[in-house]
Short mmCIF file of all heavy atoms in Angstrom, two decimals:
data_model
loop_
_atom_site.label_atom_id
_atom_site.label_comp_id
_atom_site.label_asym_id
_atom_site.label_seq_id
_atom_site.Cartn_x
_atom_site.Cartn_y
_atom_site.Cartn_z
N ARG A 634 80.59 112.89 102.42
CA ARG A 634 79.30 112.70 102.99
C ARG A 634 78.61 111.42 102.63
O ARG A 634 78.41 111.16 101.53
CB ARG A 634 78.37 113.91 102.41
CG ARG A 634 78.62 115.30 102.98
CD ARG A 634 77.50 116.16 102.66
NE ARG A 634 78.11 117.54 102.82
CZ ARG A 634 77.51 118.64 102.32
NH1 ARG A 634 76.46 118.52 101.59
NH2 ARG A 634 77.99 119.79 102.55
N SER A 635 78.41 110.78 103.68
CA SER A 635 77.92 109.34 103.50
C SER A 635 78.22 108.56 102.33
O SER A 635 77.40 108.25 101.51
CB SER A 635 76.38 109.29 103.77
OG SER A 635 75.84 110.46 103.17
N LEU A 636 79.56 108.44 102.13
CA LEU A 636 80.00 107.70 101.07
C LEU A 636 79.83 106.13 101.16
O LEU A 636 80.11 105.57 102.13
CB LEU A 636 81.64 107.84 100.92
CG LEU A 636 82.16 109.23 100.57
CD1 LEU A 636 83.62 109.39 100.57
CD2 LEU A 636 81.46 109.74 99.32
N THR A 637 79.21 105.56 100.13
CA THR A 637 78.97 104.21 100.07
C THR A 637 79.39 103.58 98.75
O THR A 637 79.34 104.28 97.79
CB THR A 637 77.46 103.84 100.11
OG1 THR A 637 77.16 104.40 101.53
CG2 THR A 637 77.04 102.42 100.10
N TYR A 638 80.09 102.48 98.60
CA TYR A 638 80.41 101.95 97.43
C TYR A 638 80.25 100.39 97.36
O TYR A 638 80.58 99.72 98.29
CB TYR A 638 81.92 102.22 97.15
CG TYR A 638 82.27 101.87 95.65
CD1 TYR A 638 81.83 102.65 94.63
CD2 TYR A 638 83.08 100.78 95.42
CE1 TYR A 638 82.19 102.37 93.38
CE2 TYR A 638 83.37 100.44 94.09
CZ TYR A 638 82.96 101.25 93.03
OH TYR A 638 83.28 100.91 91.81
N THR A 639 79.60 99.87 96.34
CA THR A 639 79.34 98.47 96.14
C THR A 639 79.96 98.02 94.82
O THR A 639 79.69 98.52 93.84
CB THR A 639 77.79 98.16 96.22
OG1 THR A 639 77.32 98.94 97.32
CG2 THR A 639 77.50 96.70 96.43
N TYR A 640 80.73 96.98 95.06
CA TYR A 640 81.32 96.34 93.84
C TYR A 640 80.42 95.36 93.19
O TYR A 640 79.69 94.70 93.88
CB TYR A 640 82.56 95.62 94.18
CG TYR A 640 83.93 96.39 94.43
CD1 TYR A 640 84.30 96.69 95.69
CD2 TYR A 640 84.45 96.91 93.29
CE1 TYR A 640 85.58 97.32 95.81
CE2 TYR A 640 85.64 97.66 93.44
CZ TYR A 640 86.17 97.99 94.64
OH TYR A 640 87.27 98.70 94.96
N GLY A 641 80.55 95.12 91.89
CA GLY A 641 79.86 93.97 91.22
C GLY A 641 78.38 93.81 91.50
O GLY A 641 78.04 92.64 91.96
N VAL A 642 77.64 94.81 91.45
CA VAL A 642 76.19 94.70 91.77
C VAL A 642 75.53 93.74 90.78
O VAL A 642 75.75 93.72 89.70
CB VAL A 642 75.55 96.07 91.64
CG1 VAL A 642 73.96 95.93 91.88
CG2 VAL A 642 76.11 97.05 92.53
N GLY A 643 74.84 92.73 91.38
CA GLY A 643 74.00 91.81 90.51
C GLY A 643 74.90 90.54 90.13
O GLY A 643 74.47 89.70 89.46
N THR A 644 75.98 90.48 90.55
CA THR A 644 76.91 89.23 90.32
C THR A 644 77.15 88.63 91.63
O THR A 644 76.88 89.15 92.83
CB THR A 644 78.27 89.51 89.64
OG1 THR A 644 79.01 90.18 90.55
CG2 THR A 644 78.12 90.46 88.39
N PRO A 645 77.52 87.30 91.59
CA PRO A 645 77.77 86.57 92.87
C PRO A 645 78.95 87.25 93.66
O PRO A 645 79.21 86.90 94.80
CB PRO A 645 78.16 85.17 92.46
CG PRO A 645 77.71 84.96 91.09
CD PRO A 645 77.72 86.39 90.49
N PHE A 646 79.72 88.16 93.05
CA PHE A 646 80.81 88.82 93.68
C PHE A 646 80.49 90.15 94.39
O PHE A 646 81.42 90.88 94.77
CB PHE A 646 81.93 88.98 92.72
CG PHE A 646 82.32 87.71 91.93
CD1 PHE A 646 81.92 87.57 90.60
CD2 PHE A 646 82.94 86.78 92.58
CE1 PHE A 646 82.21 86.60 89.91
CE2 PHE A 646 83.24 85.52 91.83
CZ PHE A 646 82.84 85.48 90.45
N GLU A 647 79.25 90.40 94.51
CA GLU A 647 78.83 91.71 95.07
C GLU A 647 79.37 91.84 96.48
O GLU A 647 79.42 90.99 97.27
CB GLU A 647 77.22 91.81 95.09
CG GLU A 647 76.79 93.09 95.47
CD GLU A 647 75.22 93.20 95.44
OE1 GLU A 647 74.65 92.68 94.42
OE2 GLU A 647 74.70 93.65 96.31
N HIS A 648 79.94 93.06 96.75
CA HIS A 648 80.60 93.25 97.99
C HIS A 648 80.57 94.84 98.15
O HIS A 648 80.87 95.60 97.46
CB HIS A 648 81.98 92.84 97.81
CG HIS A 648 82.98 93.35 98.90
ND1 HIS A 648 82.76 92.69 100.08
CD2 HIS A 648 83.94 94.18 98.86
CE1 HIS A 648 83.77 93.23 100.92
NE2 HIS A 648 84.45 94.12 100.20
#
Side-chain angles (χ1 to χ4, degrees):
Chain A
R634 282 196 201 160
S635 34
L636 295 177
T637 298
Y638 191 72
T639 314
Y640 280 107
V642 179
T644 68
F646 308 107
E647 193 172 312
H648 169 68

